Each structure stands twice: as structure tokens, then as C-alpha cells.
């Protein structure tokens, strides 16, 4: 009898020890770093609001995971890839950050993704336009949670060309994101039977678009497409209206955030068609979460801010499922488990790091159509995820067998 009790006790101890060995959290804390533009032209679309969303996700999860506290820190990369990489390196080496998220800048995201693979840390991109992030530059520990230039441009270009607006001219921000937007939009326009008459590139954070808009006007193109975002898109749109471009040419923005529309106001933004991953007023679930966010931040959430909450919640759930915060084990669980929340339903994280989910073709309301502040979008159509994003085989990710 004593021998049997001793054996049972030994098995219980062994089982507990085995469970403790499996449930491991490095440094006894799960640390998440939100790295983005906190003060510049992209701050409205992510910035401090993404930090608020991250903290909401942690609080809603209960503040701990596997019995260990969860900590959120933030950094400002100033839209410079070297600054972003330096912050991330310090976070990974000294600060023991387990996951970096946000970026909202393709060049910064690509630099941090490579560093994350080297250091075995998870890197989740938010507003990342470059298709290289989940293509030729994909890594085992990186994911892209919102869109890429293919998803933003393909359905939009098809819809606009079908309306008879079949000649295009691009005004493009001159870095990885803008180049990727223009390339994918060009391919989509040509595939739909349209033609591209030319393009011009401008530096990031441009104040005066007059010379670029004059070139667009002189092209005679039916569509002037802005392949930029944030403050650049807002300034370009305002100045295009002042130039009177919209009288003879259609203005199309390849990337629109609700913060942009709020900044421009409906009089300037009305009629813009675009593709988005999220709108706060799409259904009851999005409204409930967004109103909670508004109570904290006094603004309705953009798609990057909503995505930060979604990605962190999914990441923390994967830690529980894996029993560890080790990056590759967690990524495996993130791929296994579907993403189901107010932001995404039935989302699937692919082998190349792309979160595949529905996108939405939207249009900015007229002032007469709007019921008040933040009532800005009409959802025209749902684009299923398998149509919105390029196929796994087309991406060129070396991880895909």
C-alpha cells in the first residue's frame, strides 16, 4: 500500500514538473512593444491610439498569461528604418521584448522582421503595404495583420476601370510602400483592360504637391491615383481640390484611413472609393468595441488600431495554447487557430505570415448622407479573403513548400 502511494505521489510530482517545464515564460514576463510613428505624418492612423488598443487587449485578457504579467511598452521610429531597427534591437537584446507590433511603415517593418527572425522574436506588421513582407522577405516569426498593396489595389482598380475610368496617372510616395502600391495597381489596371499614362514620385512628408499635381493634370488621364498615405494623402487630396482636378479627372486614393477623412472633412473627401479592412460602424460587434476605444481615446479607431488589439489577443491566446512564449512554438499555434473577433471572422494565418480575411470596398459619404461625426463610410461590397489577397503560390515566400 505504501509503495503504491509512493508511486502515485511520484507520478503526481513528475506530472506537475512536466507541466511546469512546458508552461514557460522567458524572464517571467511577456513583454509587447508597440513600435510606430508616434508624432509624425502617420501618427493619427496608428501612433498613440495603437498603444491604447494594445493596453485594452492586455486588460481584456486579464493582465497575465500562464500566470505571468503582460507588459506593454512603446517606441517612436520617426519613419526611419535605421531608427526603428535600433529600437527593436535594444528591445530584443536588453529589454527582453517578446513581440514587436505595429510599424505602419514598410521599410521599418522589413528591417524589424529580419531582426526578429535573427533574435527569434515575433514581429506583427500593421499598416504594411509592401508585398515583400509576406513574399520574398517573409520570415518564420513574422505576420502581417491588415493588408498589402495587392489587397488595397486589385479590387479597387477593377471596379474603377469597369466604370469607364480606364486611363490612370500615379502620384506615388517614393519608398517601398508607394512603389509596391503603384506596381500592384498598375498590374490590376492593365489586367482590367485599362492603361497607365505615367507617374511621378514625391518624398515622404511632402507639404507642397503643386508640381506633382500639374504633371498629373497635364497627363490627361481620367484617373489620378494617390499611391501614398496618412498626412501625404490628406495634403495631396486637399491641394488637388484647390487645383480643381476633380472637375475633369477622378481622384482615387489607394489607401484611406478614417483618421484621414476626419482630418479632411467630408466636403473634401466625399466620393472617394477605396478598400479597407475595418470600419467601426460595420456591425454591432465593431460598434461595441469601437465605442469602448472612443471612451479611452476620444476618436474612433482606425484599422491599424483595431488590428493591434486583434493581433495581441490572438498572440496571447497562442501562448496559452503553446504553454510557452517561445516564438516559433507560439507562431505554430497562431497558424493553427482561426482568428475570430470583432475585427476578423474566420481569419487564417498562412505559412507566409499573411492573415487572410475579408476586405471591404467602401466609399466616403457626402455631407448630406452623414448622420454626424465619424459616420463617414458606405460599405459597397465585401471582398472574400481568398479574392482580396494573392495566392500563397504567387507570393514567392521561401518558407512555402
Amino acid at each position: 500500500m505504501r509503495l503504491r502511494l509512493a508511486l502515485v505521489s511520484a507520478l503526481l510530482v513528475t506530472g506537475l514538473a512536466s507541466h511546469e517545464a512546458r508552461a514557460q515564460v522567458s524572464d517571467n514576463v511577456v513583454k509587447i512593444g508597440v513600435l510606430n510613428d508616434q508624432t509624425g505624418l502617420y501618427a493619427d492612423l496608428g501612433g498613440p491610439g495603437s498603444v491604447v488598443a494594445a493596453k485594452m487587449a492586455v486588460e481584456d485578457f486579464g493582465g497575465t498569461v500562464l500566470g505571468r504579467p503582460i507588459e506593454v511598452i512603446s517606441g517612436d521610429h520617426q519613419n526611419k528604418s535605421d531608427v526603428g531597427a535600433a529600437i527593436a534591437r535594444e528591445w530584443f537584446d536588453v529589454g527582453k521584448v517578446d513581440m514587436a507590433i505595429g510599424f505602419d511603415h514598410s521599410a521599418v517593418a522589413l528591417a524589424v522582421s529580419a531582426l526578429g527572425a535573427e533574435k527569434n522574436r515575433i514581429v506583427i506588421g500593421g499598416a504594411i503595404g509592401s508585398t515583400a513582407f509576406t513574399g520574398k522577405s517573409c520570415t518564420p516569426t513574422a505576420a502581417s495583420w491588415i493588408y498589402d498593396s495587392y489587397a488595397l489595389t486589385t479590387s479597387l482598380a477593377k471596379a474603377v476601370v469597369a466604370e469607364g475610368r480606364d486611363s490612370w496617372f500615379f502620384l506615388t510616395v517614393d519608398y517601398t510602400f508607394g512603389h509596391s502600391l503603384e506596381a500592384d495597381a498598375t498590374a490590376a489596371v492593365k489586367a482590367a483592360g485599362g492603361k497607365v499614362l505615367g507617374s511621378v514620385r514625391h518624398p515622404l512628408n511632402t507639404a507642397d504637391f503643386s508640381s506633382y499635381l500639374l504633371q498629373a493634370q497635364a497627363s490627361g488621364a481620367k484617373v489620378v491615383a494617390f499611391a501614398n498615405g496618412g498626412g501625404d494623402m490628406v495634403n495631396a487630396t486637399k491641394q488637388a481640390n484647390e487645383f480643381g482636378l476633380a472637375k475633369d479627372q477622378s481622384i482615387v486614393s489607394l489607401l484611406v484611413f478614417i483618421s484621414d477623412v476626419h482630418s479632411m472633412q467630408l466636403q473634401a473627401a466625399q466620393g472617394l472609393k477605396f478598400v479597407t479592412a475595418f470600419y467601426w460602424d460595420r456591425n454591432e460587434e465593431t460598434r461595441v468595441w469601437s465605442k469602448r476605444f472612443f471612451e479611452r481615446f476620444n476618436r474612433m479607431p482606425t484599422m491599424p488600431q483595431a488590428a493591434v488589439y486583434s493581433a495581441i489577443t490572438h498572440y496571447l491566446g497562442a501562448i496559452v495554447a503553446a504553454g510557452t512564449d517561445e516564438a516559433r512554438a507560439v507562431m505554430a499555434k497562431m497558424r493553427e487557430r482561426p482568428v475570430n473577433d470583432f475585427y476578423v471572422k474566420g481569419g487564417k494565418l498562412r505559412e507566409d505570415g499573411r492573415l487572410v480575411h475579408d476586405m471591404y470596398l467602401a466609399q466616403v459619404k457626402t455631407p448630406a448622407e452623414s448622420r454626424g461625426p465619424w459616420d463617414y463610410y458606405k460599405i459597397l461590397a465585401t471582398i472574400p479573403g481568398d479574392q482580396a489577397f494573392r495566392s500563397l503560390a504567387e507570393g514567392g515566400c521561401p518558407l512555402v513548400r
Side-chain angles (χ1 to χ4, degrees):
M1 184 68 180
R2 288 180 180 176
L3 179 59
R4 183 178 297 174
L5 287 171
L7 285 170
V8 170
S9 297
L11 286 170
L12 285 171
V13 170
T14 302
L16 288 170
S18 176
H19 175 75
E20 288 299 320
R22 288 195 303 271
Q24 293 181 351
V25 172
S26 58
D27 309 299
N28 291 316
V29 61
V30 171
K31 192 175 289 189
I32 297 167
V34 180
L35 180 59
N36 59 17
D37 177 2
Q38 290 282 309
T39 55
L41 82 162
Y42 292 158
D44 278 353
L45 65 92
S50 288
V51 180
V52 169
K55 291 179 177 179
M56 285 176 65
V58 170
E59 289 169 13
D60 289 350
F61 201 81
T64 64
V65 61
L66 297 180
R68 299 292 186 267
I70 308 164
E71 183 180 344
V72 174
I73 63 172
S74 62
D76 186 351
H77 59 48
Q78 303 169 42
N79 294 311
K80 298 175 182 176
S81 56
D82 57 340
V83 173
I87 292 172
R89 184 177 294 277
E90 193 277 336
W91 279 1
F92 295 154
D93 288 346
V94 181
K96 306 302 180 184
V97 167
D98 298 289
M99 187 265 273
I101 189 170
F103 315 115
D104 306 333
H105 188 288
S106 293
V108 175
L110 288 165
V112 178
S113 175
L115 193 61
E118 176 190 333
K119 304 291 184 181
N120 196 35
R121 297 290 192 273
I122 288 178
V123 173
I124 301 180
I128 305 303
S130 174
T131 52
F133 192 79
T134 57
K136 64 181 181 180
S137 300
C138 72
T139 75
T141 57
S144 183
W145 219 254
I146 311 178
Y147 57 66
D148 56 27
S149 56
Y150 181 97
L152 290 172
T153 61
T154 304
S155 299
L156 177 63
K158 182 179 179 180
V160 172
V161 172
E163 294 171 350
R165 293 178 285 170
D166 56 1
S167 60
W168 289 49
F169 184 94
F170 290 96
L171 197 155
T172 303
V173 63
D174 194 10
Y175 78 100
T176 310
F177 158 64
H179 303 166
S180 188
L181 267 184
E182 182 183 327
D184 281 322
T186 295
V189 167
K190 291 179 177 178
K195 55 188 175 181
V196 174
L197 302 185
S199 66
V200 63
R201 292 179 174 177
H202 69 83
L204 184 68
N205 204 11
T206 295
D208 184 3
F209 283 89
S210 56
S211 65
Y212 310 114
L213 292 169
L214 286 171
Q215 292 180 63
Q217 197 169 39
S219 74
K222 295 178 183 177
V223 175
V224 177
F226 294 152
N228 53 17
D232 281 334
M233 189 281 267
V234 170
N235 287 334
T237 302
K238 286 180 177 178
Q239 290 173 40
N241 286 330
E242 291 167 5
F243 269 74
L245 253 69
K247 293 178 182 177
D248 302 309
Q249 295 167 293
S250 296
I251 307 298
V252 168
S253 177
L254 302 179
L255 178 59
V256 175
F257 299 98
I258 197 167
S259 52
D260 301 331
V261 178
H262 191 70
S263 175
M264 285 188 286
Q265 300 185 345
L266 290 179
Q267 192 63 42
Q270 62 182 314
L272 276 177
K273 283 185 179 178
F274 55 96
V275 171
T276 187
F278 175 78
Y279 178 45
W280 74 269
D281 199 19
R282 191 171 62 82
N283 59 39
E284 185 59 25
E285 199 172 0
T286 59
R287 284 189 285 274
V288 168
W289 184 84
S290 298
K291 288 174 182 177
R292 288 180 55 218
F293 180 89
F294 187 90
E295 290 170 1
R296 299 275 291 262
F297 198 59
N298 203 34
R299 297 171 70 88
M300 283 300 178
T302 62
M303 52 179 158
Q305 291 159 352
V308 162
Y309 182 101
S310 170
I312 289 176
T313 301
H314 191 68
Y315 165 71
L316 294 173
I319 291 177
V320 173
T324 177
D325 63 351
E326 192 277 323
R328 296 204 180 203
V330 173
M331 283 299 294
K333 292 298 180 183
M334 290 178 72
R335 292 189 179 97
E336 280 180 20
R337 305 168 73 243
V339 182
N340 283 304
D341 53 32
F342 71 92
Y343 169 72
V344 165
K345 293 299 181 189
K348 174 66 177 175
L349 186 61
R350 291 192 318 205
E351 193 175 350
D352 61 351
R354 158 56 50 209
L355 178 66
V356 177
H357 55 87
D358 291 348
M359 299 285 285
Y360 305 95
L361 181 63
Q363 185 172 27
V364 176
K365 291 181 175 182
T366 65
E369 291 171 321
S370 175
R371 296 165 298 176
W374 302 102
D375 178 30
Y376 296 153
Y377 293 1
K378 293 184 289 187
I379 301 299
L380 304 178
T382 298
I383 308 164
D386 59 354
Q387 296 176 28
F389 295 96
R390 65 185 179 183
S391 71
L392 193 60
E394 292 176 300
C397 171
L399 300 175
V400 177
R401 299 175 183 86

